[in-house]
Amino acid sequence: MGLPLGTAFMKSLGMFFLVGDPYLRFNLPGRPLFDFLWGALLVVGWLLLAFRLRRLPYDWQQSAVILLLAAPLIMLLPTALAVNEIVPSNLRALGMIPFVFFLPAAGLVTLLRDIERRLQGPSIAYAVQVIIPVVLVGWGALTAIAYFQDWGGQRELVLVTDGDLTAAAPVLDQRLAGLTEDERPSVYVAAPHYRHPTLAFLSENYDTLKWLPQSQAIVFPPQGSALYLYPANSPLPDWVAPYLANSTATDYPATGEPLFTLYDMAEPPVVDDTDTPIATFENVIALVSAVTEPAAGGETLPVTLTWRVLNPLPPDRRLTPVPFVHLEDSAGFRWAQAEADAYPAEQWSAGETIIQRVDLPLPYGIPPGDSYILKVGLFDTGSGDRLSVVDTNGAFAGTAATVEDIRVVAGPLPDSLPVAPQPINKTIVPGLRLMGYENGPRTAESGQSGALALWWLAQEPLPAMTLRLSLISEDGTAVSLIEGDPVYDTYPITEWVTPTFLIDRQVFTIPEELPGGDYTYRLDVLAADGETLYTADLGSVVVRRRNACLPHHRSPRRLMPSLATPFGCWVTIWRKRKVATD
């Protein structure tokens, strides 16, 4: 979540002489634009302009001074408005430079002239003339030390200014120099950004490189050798290391902490060599396997996907497909999702094997279980349409591959408990608190499905209890929707691993014959013997009869259909009147 705008603007103001840009790439972290002396002189210079504004005789002169007074504040807006980024930012405040650095000088000149006027005498005038260059030279020397020694001498600065790729460019060109097309290995470069501009500027082989943005994938060519470049800013992930175990690794430089490493692979390994992939997408790419490891709420669920490129992208379709991964429960509710553009599609070559790692962030409160479902597919970023899954006969078979039996385990409580959308915070029995709930549908038709969620906090093992969710009409009549254990009647309270925070989703169906009207959702917590331990109202719902042609309290004989009555209602009315007549 970003900063409030007011806070961001005050932090931006502070960059003048309190706390500056925290990013090492552009600044000694936290160093303000001016120290306290020059900051004070800046304020003096700004006030001097404001004082002189009233004494200027011409409008154009006043307009110029107003511009100089307002410009520093206006030029702060690019950094103050970027509330989701680094605040303050020297880079975003560059437009301020012509309007701000003369102010301390104006303040200094004003201060020295005031001293000269008050003390007078030729010696004072001479001293003032000497002081100005001494001050400028002295502070210039301090600035040079800060710039060239304190800031420029840091090793981290080499990395944040892409020194790793700068060093890699000539080595990469030398490695590929003189090789014929058949001798050239397939070159894959890991980098923080796709098509990194540093290599675009420095490498002669830029057009032949393939990119692995943020080291989230490893790609093997269909045949032949391959060369992998991992710079210090995008190091080799632990999960990739086993795939490169048979490669020759060379660090540059060879001693000390390397700036980058080259991996030479003579032949690609055999990975998941199967004739039956999980799914094939439009005969372009196939999902060969999907492997997960158990994870808990608040953690990431690691998913390793193996793809095989079957054919180049169709030239008649401008596709930019990106993989997506969804985690759903048995009722179809989506708990987590991620887009995973680890190897952009415009680089795909027929026969390539892509292994990518997707880390799905699991929310706190997700119930443990081993019946979750993984939905994997690709969507076109241009149109938003999904690529179709085709079966062995080329027929449409959906828009996502399904991987079942994904396991989520119980985890610890979050450091700070979240607040439910509709808070209740009521203790049901010792050790069990209903924190609140998520609203169910506020309008519904009979026969329609709905869902709401209960937020629980259990601090200790609990006795057997069940839940009942009902609709209560205006006259107090109760209609039961569901009754059973939490989490779709699959997770008895006695089996909860405590302490735990649990989001318990409940799915129900509005009864088909339920009369239309206003109702209230009601939750009852029941003991093992059926005694009601707690009751809570969870909001209201307006129910409408689906295709209701007749109010439930009227006789069909007394209802005269109008010309505006839909055809389906005409048939229903005719049938009911015929039955009543017969």
Side-chain angles (χ1 to χ4, degrees):
M1 182 179 294
L3 293 171
L5 181 58
T7 302
F9 192 80
M10 294 305 296
K11 291 188 68 173
S12 300
L13 279 176
M15 72 186 299
F16 285 114
F17 48 86
L18 294 178
V19 180
D21 190 330
Y23 189 25
L24 180 62
R25 186 183 184 108
F26 303 115
N27 197 45
L28 271 171
R31 179 185 173 94
L33 299 179
F34 306 99
D35 57 26
F36 279 103
L37 172 62
W38 292 105
L41 292 174
L42 178 145
V43 174
V44 171
W46 197 89
L47 293 175
L48 175 66
L49 282 180
F51 177 75
R52 288 181 176 177
L53 178 63
R54 299 175 56 186
R55 301 170 58 183
L56 295 173
Y58 301 108
D59 290 344
W60 67 268
Q61 292 176 321
Q62 294 180 0
S63 299
V65 171
I66 291 174
L67 173 63
L68 293 175
L69 289 172
L73 303 179
I74 296 173
M75 290 303 172
L76 278 180
L77 291 177
T79 182
L81 293 174
V83 294
N84 292 311
E85 303 294 337
I86 294 174
V87 179
S89 167
N90 285 354
L91 186 63
R92 289 189 173 89
L94 279 177
M96 184 170 61
I97 289 177
F99 304 101
V100 73
F101 282 94
F102 75 94
L103 291 174
L108 177 62
V109 170
T110 301
L111 178 63
L112 293 177
R113 285 180 176 174
D114 184 68
I115 293 174
E116 181 180 5
R117 184 177 63 255
R118 290 176 183 276
L119 299 180
Q120 296 184 354
S123 59
I124 298 301
Y126 178 76
V128 168
Q129 294 175 10
V130 172
I131 288 174
I132 291 179
V134 170
V135 168
L136 293 178
V137 171
W139 252 270
L142 294 176
T143 302
I145 293 173
Y147 185 85
F148 293 105
Q149 178 176 312
D150 298 341
W151 180 68
Q154 299 190 44
R155 172 181 167 78
E156 291 80 4
L157 186 61
V158 176
L159 299 183
V160 300
T161 55
D162 303 320
D164 49 357
L165 288 177
T166 301
V171 175
L172 193 61
D173 288 343
Q174 183 180 6
R175 175 70 171 76
L176 300 176
L179 298 180
T180 65
E181 186 173 348
D182 292 337
E183 294 172 335
R184 289 176 64 93
S186 300
V187 183
Y188 300 94
V189 179
H193 312 294
Y194 179 49
R195 292 185 170 178
H196 203 287
T198 298
L199 286 186
F201 182 74
L202 297 175
S203 176
E204 298 175 357
N205 294 275
Y206 174 77
D207 292 336
T208 66
L209 305 179
K210 293 192 172 184
W211 298 88
L212 308 174
Q214 300 180 18
S215 303
Q216 294 180 344
I218 181 73
V219 181
F220 303 120
Q223 58 185 4
S225 61
L227 182 65
Y228 299 89
L229 169 63
Y230 281 93
N233 277 326
S234 295
L236 181 74
D238 292 339
W239 69 270
V240 172
Y243 295 103
L244 297 178
N246 295 326
S247 302
T248 302
T250 306
D251 292 334
Y252 296 87
T255 59
E257 189 174 352
L259 287 175
F260 63 95
T261 303
L262 286 178
Y263 294 84
D264 284 280
M265 177 180 289
E267 291 290 337
V270 177
V271 179
D272 290 316
D273 188 14
T274 176
D275 295 329
T276 308
I278 296 176
T280 300
F281 295 86
E282 298 192 8
N283 203 32
V284 171
I285 190 170
L287 178 64
V288 177
S289 67
V291 180
T292 67
E293 301 174 14
E299 300 175 348
T300 57
L301 177 74
V303 181
T304 304
L305 303 176
T306 302
W307 305 86
R308 184 157 296 126
V309 181
L310 305 177
N311 293 292
L313 292 172
D316 57 331
R317 292 182 62 191
R318 293 187 176 181
L319 291 175
T320 53
V322 172
F324 66 83
V325 182
H326 297 166
L327 182 72
E328 300 179 356
D329 60 24
S330 58
F333 178 76
R334 186 182 303 167
W335 285 92
Q337 65 181 33
E339 298 174 10
D341 197 12
Y343 186 59
E346 61 183 351
Q347 302 183 117
W348 293 355
S349 297
E352 281 185 322
T353 299
I354 306 167
I355 303 176
Q356 69 175 124
R357 182 68 164 264
V358 182
D359 291 320
L360 277 179
L362 300 185
Y364 281 109
I366 182 172
D370 55 8
S371 60
Y372 286 89
I373 299 170
L374 212 61
K375 296 287 185 70
V376 183
L378 300 106
F379 75 99
D380 178 36
T381 56
S383 64
D385 297 335
R386 293 186 180 185
L387 272 64
S388 300
V389 177
V390 295
D391 60 19
T392 54
N393 298 320
F396 175 77
T399 60
T402 299
V403 182
E404 298 181 343
D405 301 330
I406 306 300
R407 187 182 177 200
V408 174
V409 298
L413 292 175
D415 294 334
S416 178
L417 288 173
V419 178
Q422 303 295 328
I424 292 180
N425 291 318
K426 180 67 176 181
T427 298
I428 310 302
V429 296
L432 177 63
R433 179 153 54 103
L434 178 61
M435 299 173 62
Y437 64 96
E438 298 174 23
N439 287 327
R442 291 315 190 198
T443 60
E445 291 185 348
S446 57
Q448 176 182 330
S449 296
L452 54 75
L454 307 172
W455 289 35
W456 301 101
L457 176 63
Q459 299 281 13
E460 58 188 55
L462 299 167
M465 288 176 282
T466 56
L467 309 176
R468 181 171 62 212
L469 185 66
S470 309
L471 286 179
I472 309 299
S473 65
E474 291 181 303
D475 62 6
T477 304
V479 178
S480 179
L481 297 176
I482 52 175
E483 184 171 343
D485 293 317
V487 191
Y488 315 129
D489 201 23
T490 64
Y491 194 27
I493 291 179
T494 54
E495 297 181 7
W496 289 8
V497 179
T498 54
T500 186
F501 162 59
L502 182 73
I503 298 178
D504 169 24
R505 299 194 62 80
Q506 296 287 348
V507 176
F508 52 84
T509 300
I510 305 296
E512 188 73 44
E513 298 303 321
L514 186 69
D518 296 332
Y519 291 85
T520 299
Y521 295 109
R522 177 163 296 173
L523 170 69
D524 293 303
V525 181
L526 308 176
D529 58 3
E531 178 188 358
T532 301
L533 300 174
Y534 176 74
T535 297
D537 290 341
L538 307 181
S540 60
V541 58
V542 178
V543 176
R544 297 186 178 90
R545 293 290 302 276
R546 178 179 296 177
N547 297 328
C549 301
L550 300 174
H552 65 279
H553 60 276
R554 284 193 173 182
S555 167
R557 287 181 178 274
R558 299 179 58 187
L559 183 66
M560 192 66 184
S562 68
L563 293 177
T565 305
F567 176 76
C569 288
W570 271 91
V571 174
T572 302
I573 292 170
W574 177 79
R575 287 178 176 174
K576 290 188 176 184
R577 293 184 66 180
K578 187 175 185 300
V579 170
T581 303
D582 293 344

